[in-house]
């Protein structure tokens, strides 16, 4: 199962697969979501659904919510582990706020490390520390695979066709 970071959908809509120009991508996500291959945890989902743009509206459709929303609760102990071992055990409130919802995404991945992959547009930055760490680096600490959007669409073989 591929677990999507909010930035995957935000960046795709803004930069290369906008909902109004490449609806096939969004239909494909719904299809893969219905098949259980692609999901988005509630914490990431809410980040997108808060918007009043075309992506927020797409996300709030009941059929889309059913298809892509991960229907499980996060293990709080894993969230705590991700924060303490992946970022730092003595984070300030400001640092915790800066990290945001990322530890939840990683914790969902850790609930089944063999079968789950994290998809994010963040890139590795090994020099970053504490609250500035990026998702791929924290995932790597736990042996959880994090991939980017293009690796994700290749892995699940997204294609479009256009006949002139």
């Amino acid at each position: 199962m591929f677990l999507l970071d909010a930035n995957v959908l935000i960046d795709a809509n803004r930069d290369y697969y906008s909902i109004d120009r490449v609806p096939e991508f969004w239909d494909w996500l719904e299809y893969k979501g219905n098949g259980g291959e692609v999901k988005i945890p509630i914490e990431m989902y809410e980040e997108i659904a808060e918007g009043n743009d075309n992506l927020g509206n797409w996300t709030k459709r009941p059929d889309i919510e059913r298809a892509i929303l991960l229907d499980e609760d996060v293990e709080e102990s894993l969230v705590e582990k991700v924060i303490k071992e992946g970022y730092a055990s003595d984070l300030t409130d400001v640092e915790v706020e800066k990290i945001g919802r990322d530890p939840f995404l990683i914790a969902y991945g850790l609930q089944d490390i063999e079968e789950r992959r994290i998809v994010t547009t963040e890139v590795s930055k090994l020099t970053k520390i504490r609250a500035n760490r990026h998702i791929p680096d924290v995932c790597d600490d736990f042996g959880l695979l994090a991939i980017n959007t293009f690796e994700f669409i290749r892995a699940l073989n997204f294609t479009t066709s256009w006949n002139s």
Side-chain angles (χ1 to χ4, degrees), residues 116-152:
R116 294 185 177 183
R117 304 293 176 257
I118 303 300
V119 185
T120 183
T121 61
E122 289 185 16
V123 296
S124 175
K125 296 249 171 125
L126 294 174
T127 58
K128 301 290 185 178
I129 61 171
R130 299 180 63 85
N132 295 314
R133 295 200 71 208
H134 287 202
I135 290 172
D137 301 321
V138 177
C139 285
D140 191 51
D141 288 350
F142 294 102
L144 178 62
L145 184 62
I147 62 174
N148 67 39
T149 303
F150 300 106
E151 292 167 316
F152 161 65

Side-chain angles (χ1 to χ4, degrees), residues 41-105:
I42 186 69
E43 293 81 4
M44 283 57 229
Y45 175 86
E46 289 172 344
E47 200 174 316
I48 299 166
E50 290 170 358
N52 285 326
D53 58 359
N54 61 354
L55 178 58
N57 293 335
W58 177 83
T59 307
K60 288 180 259 192
R61 287 179 21 204
D63 55 329
I64 299 303
E65 182 176 336
R66 274 191 308 277
I68 67 170
L69 187 60
L70 181 63
D71 187 22
E72 64 184 51
D73 294 326
V74 71
E75 290 181 29
E76 291 294 329
S77 63
L78 286 176
V79 176
E80 291 174 22
K81 179 178 179 151
V82 170
I83 292 170
K84 289 179 180 173
E85 297 176 24
Y87 294 93
S89 61
D90 61 345
L91 294 173
T92 66
D93 290 343
V94 172
E95 288 177 307
V96 170
E97 190 173 319
K98 181 175 184 170
I99 291 171
R101 302 172 187 192
D102 293 352
F104 290 88
L105 175 64

Side-chain angles (χ1 to χ4, degrees), residues 1-5 39 41 70 105 108-109 116-119:
M1 177 188 304
F2 294 87
L3 299 176
L4 306 182
D5 190 0
K39 294 293 178 181
L70 181 63
L105 175 64
Y108 283 109
R116 294 185 177 183
R117 304 293 176 257
I118 303 300
V119 185

